Amino acid sequence: PVPSVSSPPRAPLPPVCPCRMPAQLQHPGYPAGRLQAAEEAVPCREAQAAALLALFGEPEHYSYPSLFLYGHRATGKSHVTLTLLRELQLPHAAVSCVECFSAGLLFEQVLGSLFGHEAVSQSLARYSSFSDFVRVFQQLSARSSLPRHTRYIVLDRAELLRDMDANLLPGFLRLQELVEDNVTVILLSEIVWEKFRPGTGCFEPLVLHFPDYSKAELQLILSQDPSPAYSPELYGTYINILLGVFFTVCRDLRELRHLAALNFPKFCEPLEKGEGNGSVSLSLSKGNPPHLVHSLSFSVTLRVSSASCLSLSGHLSVSSPGLSAHAHVELPCHSKFLLIAAYLASYNPARTDRRFFLKHHGRIKKTNFLKKHEK
Amino acid sequence: MATSSVSKGCFVFKPSSKKRRRTLSIEDYFQNDNIDPETSTLRFQTCQSLWEQMKTEVEVFQEELNKKILDRLLEFARKTTATSRSTADDWASRMRSSEIPTAALVLGVNVPDHDVTLRRLSELLQQSATPFVVSLQSKECSALKQMVQKVLLQLMGCTVSLDEEEEEQPALSEAADLPRKRAHCSLATLCDWYQAVQKKAAVPSPCKSRGSPGDGVGQSPPVVVIFKDFEGFNPRVLQDFIIICSQYIQKLPLTFVFGIATSPITIHHVLPHSVSSLLCIELFQSVPCTEHLAMVIDKLVLTTQFPLKLSGKVLRVLIGIFLYHDFSVRNFIKGLQLALLEHFYNSPLSVLCCKKREALSRAQQLSHENCEGVRRLPSFMRYIENQEPQEQIELLTNDQHLKDVCQRLLRDLHTYHKQYYPVLRCLHTLTATLPKHPLGKQIRELHVTCLERNVWECEEYASALQLLRTPVPKMVLEGRVKRLLIKRCWVVIMVLLTPATDHSCFSVQETLAVFHREDRSAEGECTEEGEDASPRPRLQKKTDLFHLQKTLLEMKESRRTKKLSRFEVLRNEALDFIETLVKYVLFKFALQTSVHCCDDSAERLFFANLASSCLSLKFLCYPLNLPKNDALKSEEGAISNAAPDICIVYKLHLECGRLINLYDWLEAYRTVVAAAEGKDRDGTEAGTFDEEKHARFIRAVSELEFLGFVKNTKQKTDHVARLTWGGC
């Protein structure tokens, strides 16, 4: 999935951060300014970024043929990778495997973003196999005038590769070997490598794990995009309260960001009414604000996405029935009977249908059990 | 046409153009040789014009009905455009910018009706919000590839038609070729295309800024994707599509509309949390179909606007189909149309089914056969029976006299209908809220009852009036006062509508005036009722037993009489008045069923509309019930041998247990069929006959299997398993 952190254009980071560590991203091959920019864009993921950078090496160096990054949703896998590639201006192709319902589409997108779309549409046939891909890759790579820097192919949601052609995943893992060129494939997935292994003879990629964010890290990341109307401190307090309520049920950064955006206006309501400034925020922080608990109950009990919760809270007063689980569905009479009958029938074996559903089904045979008890 | 050839070959013979049949127009199909061919054209035209009127009426009011929700949806689409533009500065919308705005449109289980609403929605969107509207149906999108293709095709096709208007020839060919030239269509292609179109639109061109509807909205009109039947989509495909779309939402302002048949909770059944959190869902609820139907009946049936009156039976069948089977208003209207056609097609007297003035003139021009037809009508026969002998002879022999009487009766009929509906409504408002709804909750139920018999003769009516007369707690009472007022308004309307030909109308008006006056004073007094009561005779302190008894009795008596306050008196009077009114107006009018109602079509309608299993069962059991199948009548329980094969096989299989021996079954079948042919020669020419019967038997059995009555089993060879139980 797309990491939540990357999606919206972000306000510059607050200059002072108490827990900031000394710069971890250091590499002789890249200018320090770019490294700094990259590090600032990946808060709380400096360690992973440093590990990746070490693996990348200098632009001309050959890198490890294939990397496998995994971790839960919204742990910054693709964000870290893409930020590094972008900030350091490395040639790369980022493709999401969901989008490519055929292998040909995948090849086209990879080659297109590496060598330009025009060249690809000329040389790649409509229904191409993996060997076509390798051939075209070699041709185009030989033709290109760029210096021989490592090319990176980032395949998001790589677990979908398993459902495509059988040679695709092993092929990509050994791509460097096959094209005999400086190329590295980075696979991103939410599941572990053990579930990928396609049998014998497969090249083992280098596996890198992205752990979940801790509560403190979440707090740090979430408070980085404060509302412009209020002070960053107030927003920080708000995030603190928010995490206190939601952290037990939801650790997904993206979801939390959404909840934060959703509930902030309500949180600010007392401030809008305007009694004081500092002391009010203190009084706000006492206990769980009722609207947060309300919103929690929605997202937990009904499994309603926060998105619909938004519209729900907006329209609850406007006599809309809402996304209630008990929403009344009107059905025609016969459909109702059919449903009821199917429901009832699903609880007894087929042979007893007659006994249960027919009015005059005949005499019930005495079972051995009953006979025994009569004696 | 020489087909001689040295080698073998096949030859194609194109049918000669002479042989080709002239295509028949609709009117030609309407020609019914058996029934009065002269008037068929006239009937056809009347039928057409009537149907056109009804159709426009329905369309107009459906438009009105859907207006509210469609307006809200349009507003929603426009709003999403607005927020996507202001993304840069608004903090809240920036935080939500990665979500796809989605409208969950709950349309109810009446799936056949959805099409109209959604088509209208997409038209409106195209007119006022955005030129980019895509409608997807689940059956077209079995895989992600088809889905994306469909979206691309519809979108790029739409701009092709736009370009044509602007006479940009090179752009046209380019856009048309785009999906074909590309090896694969993906959303990235669409995104590029969209940006190209936007760039082109951004270049100011004078003709476009005037004409194009999309321009009023802003620079980036949203791309609206309508999922017509959300439940039908493959969840996997839908999830992938949404995930892909969410990756392009920054560049491509997408908006979804889900057409949901059941309840909004299905979104969460179909989409896991990870996907549904990519959507920003807003809920829209359409009008419930039962309300919709009530309005249709109100506009088409319970009105004097259309001369066609449905008989109780037809109405019952149509409403039954609606309530028991599909909840579909569209099918209801189709049924209505069918009834209309049937009526005009089959009865020559339907020429009279038109507006009053025309009907009167047409009544004068009735041919002799038609006059005979009128005489044969059951309702007219009843009318004749009630006339003087002299008049009877006149009516039966003199065509001209008959026509005159017809005219008079038609006029009366029209007047009758004018009075009928308001009074019906009065009665309904009065009784609808009674406990247990003795006369039905909906006005249509009351209408059907009235059509079938005299309403005041049935028990429910008596009990309803009884309920109205009984004293009730005060709260309810006051409500009833108001209701009486409302109802009276109706009566007034009726009186205004009625041309004052009848002397009784004057009395109606007078009574109403009296009621109005008293009503106003009664309302005031209603509150002071308690004080109004006369002072009770006090108990004398010293008295003998006899006196005491007497006083008590008096008190009791006075209490009983005193109970009747002025209000109650008034109420009773009003009710009496209503009752007389009902009796006067709601009687079953002579000539009514004959001229304006289509009665016999009910059964055919039933068969035409139903394709359900219950029907097939009915058909299998009682083939003689099928229309025009009188030949098959047989005594109860016996298997008629002239019935279709499948019926025989079905009846025979009812006699078996859970497993059926195919050979025995075949033998039984053969016996029955042989009896049908009336010749007992199974011994002589067994060979040829057996083969034919065998084949017929196999076909019948496989038909039964198709209908789900039997299935193959591996428990025993040459046996099939029965899937139902019961029977003989």
Side-chain angles (χ1 to χ4, degrees):
Chain A
V2 178
S4 56
V5 200
S6 72
S7 36
R10 135 129 12 117
L13 289 174
V16 192
C17 237
C19 54
R20 170 122 311 189
M21 282 178 283
Q24 285 190 355
L25 288 190
Q26 285 167 345
H27 203 279
Y30 302 97
R34 286 202 189 139
L35 284 175
Q36 168 110 33
E39 187 178 347
E40 275 168 9
V42 288
C44 309
R45 279 288 171 257
E46 289 88 359
Q48 280 77 17
L52 267 183
L53 192 65
L55 284 171
F56 287 174
E58 287 179 33
E60 319 65 70
H61 291 175
Y62 267 57
S63 175
Y64 201 76
S66 47
L67 306 175
F68 182 82
L69 313 187
Y70 74 100
H72 284 148
R73 291 180 69 228
T75 46
K77 299 179 296 292
S78 46
H79 175 63
V80 169
T81 320
L82 292 178
T83 311
L84 271 183
L85 293 173
R86 222 179 291 126
E87 291 290 339
L88 303 179
Q89 296 181 337
L90 299 166
H92 66 274
V95 178
S96 167
C97 292
V98 199
E99 215 176 311
C100 306
F101 36 78
S102 68
L105 201 57
L106 181 65
F107 300 150
E108 191 188 306
Q109 292 210 357
V110 168
L111 293 174
S113 46
L114 281 180
F115 302 107
H117 287 283
E118 295 78 37
V120 175
S121 56
Q122 282 164 18
S123 49
L124 202 65
R126 179 157 185 167
Y127 299 104
S128 43
S129 64
F130 194 75
S131 57
D132 289 333
F133 169 70
V134 170
R135 186 175 45 81
V136 175
F137 192 100
Q138 280 170 330
Q139 280 173 11
L140 292 173
S141 165
R143 230 186 282 161
S144 77
S145 51
L146 289 168
R148 300 244 148 195
H149 285 179
T150 314
R151 292 196 174 87
Y152 294 94
I153 298 174
V154 182
L155 298 176
D156 204 346
R157 289 179 67 112
E159 63 267 18
L160 292 170
L161 281 180
R162 298 178 300 176
D163 306 331
M164 291 191 195
D165 295 345
N167 63 347
L168 215 54
L169 182 60
F172 269 117
L173 289 172
R174 280 181 192 276
L175 192 65
Q176 199 176 70
E177 215 174 295
L178 291 170
V179 298
E180 295 167 332
D181 197 6
N182 192 358
V183 66
T184 292
V185 177
I186 302 174
L187 303 173
L188 307 178
S189 179
E190 283 177 30
I191 49 184
V192 293
W193 169 245
E194 280 68 33
K195 299 204 170 173
F196 275 74
R197 206 167 277 145
T200 51
C202 147
F203 185 85
E204 290 283 319
L206 212 59
V207 178
L208 194 62
H209 177 56
F210 277 61
D212 284 352
Y213 290 111
S214 70
K215 194 174 178 181
E217 285 170 339
L218 282 175
Q219 159 107 35
L220 185 71
I221 296 171
L222 281 174
S223 34
Q224 274 182 9
D225 37 16
S227 168
Y230 297 94
S231 68
E233 290 84 38
L234 178 78
Y235 195 72
T237 325
Y238 165 66
I239 292 298
N240 198 5
I241 298 168
L242 185 90
L243 280 179
V245 177
F246 285 108
F247 188 69
T248 45
V249 288
C250 171
R251 307 201 172 180
D252 188 340
L253 177 64
R254 185 163 26 168
E255 204 59 18
L256 283 171
R257 278 166 68 90
H258 187 94
L259 288 168
L262 189 69
N263 291 306
F264 191 59
K266 272 192 191 151
F267 177 79
C268 294
E269 255 169 32
L271 289 180
E272 294 281 344
K273 284 168 192 158
E275 287 143 38
N277 32 28
S279 59
V280 178
S281 72
L282 271 181
S283 67
L284 277 177
S285 62
K286 277 177 198 159
N288 299 332
H291 65 264
L292 283 187
V293 178
H294 174 77
S295 148
L296 174 79
S297 71
F298 262 120
S299 45
V300 175
T301 55
L302 292 181
R303 269 188 66 237
V304 168
S305 88
S306 59
S308 31
C309 179
L310 165 81
S311 62
L312 195 70
S313 51
H315 289 273
L316 213 53
S317 50
V318 201
S319 75
S320 111
L323 294 178
S324 141
H326 306 291
H328 185 63
V329 180
E330 290 241 351
L331 282 179
C333 229
H334 285 178
S335 315
K336 254 183 231 169
F337 290 160
L338 265 181
L339 268 183
I340 294 170
Y343 175 75
L344 293 175
S346 67
Y347 279 90
N348 59 284
R351 62 173 72 250
T352 56
D353 276 356
R354 184 188 180 120
R355 227 179 99 189
F356 290 159
F357 296 125
L358 213 59
K359 250 184 194 169
H360 312 290
H361 53 77
R363 208 161 51 85
I364 304 169
K365 280 180 196 163
K366 278 180 188 172
T367 56
N368 290 335
F369 176 77
L370 275 178
K371 275 179 195 160
K372 211 183 286 172
H373 278 258
E374 269 172 18
K375 287 168 194 169
Chain B
M1 244 193 258
T3 57
S4 57
S5 168
V6 181
S7 61
K8 277 186 187 174
C10 28
F11 299 88
V12 178
F13 293 108
K14 282 194 176 171
S16 61
S17 54
K18 262 181 276 171
K19 275 186 187 170
R20 200 169 289 159
R21 279 186 147 200
R22 180 172 71 94
T23 46
L24 292 168
S25 70
I26 314 168
E27 200 178 332
D28 293 329
Y29 282 112
F30 211 80
Q31 290 278 2
N32 189 345
D33 292 335
N34 301 331
I35 301 162
D36 199 19
E38 297 108 70
T39 54
S40 73
T41 327
L42 185 63
R43 276 185 283 141
F44 174 69
Q45 282 160 359
T46 322
C47 175
Q48 283 290 80
S49 73
L50 185 59
W51 175 241
E52 283 303 318
Q53 282 174 31
M54 289 172 103
K55 215 169 88 180
T56 35
E57 175 78 21
V58 168
E59 274 164 10
V60 164
F61 100 81
Q62 277 181 340
E63 185 88 340
E64 226 158 81
L65 202 67
N66 287 329
K67 196 175 184 312
K68 211 168 129 196
I69 185 159
L70 289 182
D71 280 351
R72 271 185 61 208
L73 271 166
L74 282 183
E75 192 53 43
F76 171 77
R78 286 199 203 103
K79 200 176 68 196
T80 56
T81 338
T83 49
S84 72
R85 257 186 302 158
S86 64
T87 308
D89 42 73
D90 188 10
W91 177 79
S93 68
R94 181 160 57 78
M95 293 292 276
R96 243 183 278 132
S97 64
S98 62
E99 287 171 354
I100 307 173
T102 305
L105 182 57
V106 183
L107 289 163
V109 289
N110 45 337
V111 183
D113 298 345
H114 294 181
D115 209 35
V116 184
T117 319
L118 289 175
R119 208 180 318 131
R120 184 73 198 137
L121 172 68
S122 84
E123 273 170 25
L124 280 177
L125 280 171
Q126 261 166 351
Q127 276 168 21
S128 62
T130 166
F132 311 120
V133 181
V134 186
S135 301
L136 294 178
Q137 264 181 318
S138 61
K139 60 178 179 218
E140 300 165 344
C141 309
S142 51
L144 186 61
K145 193 173 174 185
Q146 275 102 314
M147 200 168 189
V148 175
Q149 251 169 4
K150 199 86 204 159
V151 172
L152 255 69
L153 212 72
Q154 284 194 31
L155 276 178
M156 298 185 168
C158 106
T159 44
V160 170
S161 62
L162 267 184
D163 283 345
E164 268 170 348
E165 287 160 22
E166 291 153 21
E167 295 165 33
E168 284 181 82
Q169 212 50 50
L172 174 139
S173 57
E174 188 191 331
D177 285 345
L178 204 59
R180 263 169 275 149
K181 221 191 320 185
R182 285 273 171 163
H184 305 283
C185 38
S186 67
L187 227 64
T189 326
L190 181 68
C191 201
D192 294 342
W193 167 85
Y194 181 79
Q195 272 160 358
V197 169
Q198 280 324 114
K199 228 173 264 168
K200 216 193 294 170
V203 176
S205 64
C207 67
K208 196 172 180 184
S209 56
R210 260 188 290 117
S212 165
D215 266 1
V217 187
Q219 288 309 310
S220 53
V223 176
V224 182
V225 183
I226 301 174
F227 297 85
K228 277 188 175 171
D229 43 347
F230 180 78
E231 282 92 343
F233 281 93
N234 183 354
R236 187 80 238 154
V237 173
L238 204 60
Q239 286 163 27
D240 286 349
F241 185 73
I242 291 171
I243 291 171
I244 297 173
C245 285
S246 79
Q247 287 171 357
Y248 287 95
I249 188 70
Q250 303 288 336
K251 292 182 237 162
L252 191 68
L254 282 158
T255 302
F256 289 161
V257 177
F258 292 160
I260 298 172
T262 51
S263 82
I265 209 79
T266 60
I267 296 178
H268 301 292
H269 292 310
V270 174
L271 305 175
H273 186 83
S274 61
V275 177
S276 66
S277 66
L278 297 171
L279 305 172
C280 179
I281 302 167
E282 198 158 337
L283 196 65
F284 297 88
Q285 189 99 38
S286 79
V287 191
C289 51
T290 38
E291 261 174 54
H292 196 163
L293 178 79
M295 288 190 74
V296 170
I297 290 182
D298 210 50
K299 293 273 179 194
L300 292 186
V301 180
L302 300 177
T303 172
T304 50
Q305 199 183 343
F306 304 111
L308 180 88
K309 305 288 173 236
L310 292 176
S311 74
K313 206 171 165 191
V314 175
L315 210 56
R316 222 178 252 283
V317 167
L318 281 175
I319 292 173
I321 290 172
F322 177 86
L323 288 180
Y324 286 102
H325 292 279
D326 54 3
F327 262 2
S328 159
V329 176
R330 199 187 73 160
N331 286 357
F332 180 84
I333 294 171
K334 282 265 178 261
L336 212 62
Q337 189 186 7
L338 195 65
L340 180 82
L341 276 174
E342 186 86 44
H343 176 59
F344 277 97
Y345 182 70
N346 277 339
S347 95
L349 285 176
S350 57
V351 281
L352 294 178
C353 181
C354 53
K355 293 266 178 265
K356 185 181 170 189
R357 198 165 299 157
E358 275 177 66
L360 291 182
S361 70
R362 280 183 196 174
Q364 275 304 334
Q365 293 156 6
L366 284 178
S367 66
H368 178 68
E369 287 87 53
N370 283 345
C371 287
E372 284 302 311
V374 170
R375 282 179 193 127
R376 277 197 299 273
L377 289 173
S379 56
F380 196 76
M381 282 196 221
R382 271 201 303 274
Y383 172 77
I384 291 177
E385 274 164 25
N386 292 337
Q387 301 302 313
E388 302 288 314
Q390 188 66 40
E391 179 76 8
Q392 279 182 4
I393 296 164
E394 193 77 347
L395 279 171
L396 288 174
T397 51
N398 189 346
D399 278 0
Q400 190 51 44
H401 183 70
L402 180 82
K403 285 173 190 170
D404 291 343
V405 171
C406 259
Q407 264 187 330
R408 207 187 65 226
L409 285 175
L410 276 173
R411 211 173 284 132
D412 287 355
L413 183 65
H414 279 273
T415 322
Y416 160 75
H417 279 307
K418 270 183 188 159
Q419 296 169 344
Y420 171 82
Y421 293 113
V423 174
L424 187 75
R425 275 168 217 272
C426 291
L427 192 60
H428 176 246
T429 31
L430 208 60
T431 57
T433 45
L434 289 176
K436 286 189 188 166
H437 311 285
L439 284 174
K441 237 192 263 187
Q442 304 279 347
I443 191 165
R444 54 176 188 245
E445 297 165 45
L446 187 62
H447 179 59
V448 171
T449 327
C450 288
L451 284 178
E452 283 174 352
R453 61 198 145 159
N454 291 333
V455 69
W456 66 88
E457 281 165 7
C458 60
E459 279 175 37
E460 291 86 2
Y461 178 78
S463 69
L465 277 198
Q466 191 56 45
L467 273 171
L468 280 173
R469 276 177 207 285
T470 46
V472 277
K474 210 165 180 184
M475 286 296 288
V476 189
L477 210 123
E478 270 164 27
R480 189 153 297 156
V481 172
K482 274 178 205 141
R483 236 177 294 128
L484 278 172
L485 275 173
I486 297 168
K487 168 217 70 208
R488 245 168 248 161
C489 296
W490 274 109
V491 178
V492 172
I493 293 168
M494 183 208 77
V495 173
L496 287 176
L497 283 171
T498 321
T501 45
D502 214 312
H503 74 278
S504 70
C505 279
F506 291 107
S507 67
V508 168
Q509 250 162 345
E510 276 165 32
T511 349
L512 275 176
V514 172
F515 278 156
H516 259 288
R517 242 177 293 124
E518 284 187 27
D519 200 42
R520 241 170 260 137
S521 55
E523 260 190 292
E525 257 166 54
C526 211
T527 49
E528 302 154 17
E529 201 178 322
E531 291 91 307
D532 200 37
S534 66
R536 289 180 189 175
R538 280 180 204 152
L539 282 178
Q540 283 153 335
K541 270 188 181 173
K542 266 186 173 181
T543 176
D544 53 328
L545 196 65
F546 174 72
H547 261 279
L548 183 68
Q549 226 165 16
K550 205 177 155 195
T551 336
L552 280 173
L553 263 178
E554 262 176 21
M555 277 174 71
K556 211 175 176 184
E557 196 70 18
S558 78
R559 210 176 292 149
R560 195 178 294 154
T561 52
K562 211 59 235 173
K563 264 275 152 115
L564 281 180
S565 68
R566 260 184 87 184
F567 169 73
E568 280 164 320
V569 173
L570 183 62
R571 184 190 67 199
N572 285 350
E573 270 176 28
L575 283 175
D576 287 340
F577 169 66
I578 296 278
E579 201 165 354
T580 50
L581 208 59
V582 164
K583 277 190 188 159
Y584 170 65
V585 178
L586 294 189
F587 69 99
K588 228 181 158 189
F589 199 82
L591 210 66
Q592 177 200 6
T593 37
S594 56
V595 179
H596 285 201
C597 294
C598 22
D599 201 4
D600 54 337
S601 56
E603 206 150 312
R604 249 160 286 167
L605 206 62
F606 186 71
F607 283 102
N609 259 359
L610 280 186
S612 63
S613 60
C614 98
L615 176 65
S616 65
L617 202 65
K618 226 175 205 165
F619 161 71
L620 290 171
C621 300
Y622 313 102
L624 45 132
N625 270 9
L626 274 181
K628 293 176 190 168
N629 224 349
D630 299 336
L632 300 180
K633 290 207 163 100
S634 68
E635 63 267 35
E636 189 68 29
I639 300 170
S640 159
N641 42 30
D645 287 342
I646 184 171
C647 295
I648 301 172
V649 170
Y650 173 79
K651 287 251 173 170
L652 287 171
H653 112 288
L654 286 181
E655 292 164 6
C656 301
R658 214 177 66 78
L659 288 174
I660 308 170
N661 187 336
L662 274 173
Y663 186 76
D664 293 350
W665 202 5
L666 172 65
E667 282 299 309
Y669 169 79
R670 217 186 270 160
T671 320
V672 173
V673 175
E677 275 145 16
K679 347 175 184 169
D680 207 41
R681 38 179 199 176
D682 43 338
T684 53
E685 283 179 68
T688 53
F689 262 60
D690 265 359
E691 256 173 38
E692 187 201 321
K693 274 178 211 155
H694 197 176
R696 276 165 61 185
F697 172 75
I698 288 173
R699 192 180 64 181
V701 170
S702 55
E703 276 168 353
L704 270 193
E705 195 177 342
F706 176 69
L707 288 173
F709 288 102
V710 293
K711 76 168 184 190
N712 281 325
T713 178
K714 281 176 183 167
Q715 289 178 12
K716 243 176 176 182
T717 47
D718 291 341
H719 278 69
V720 287
R722 237 182 108 178
L723 295 175
T724 55
W725 23 257
C728 312

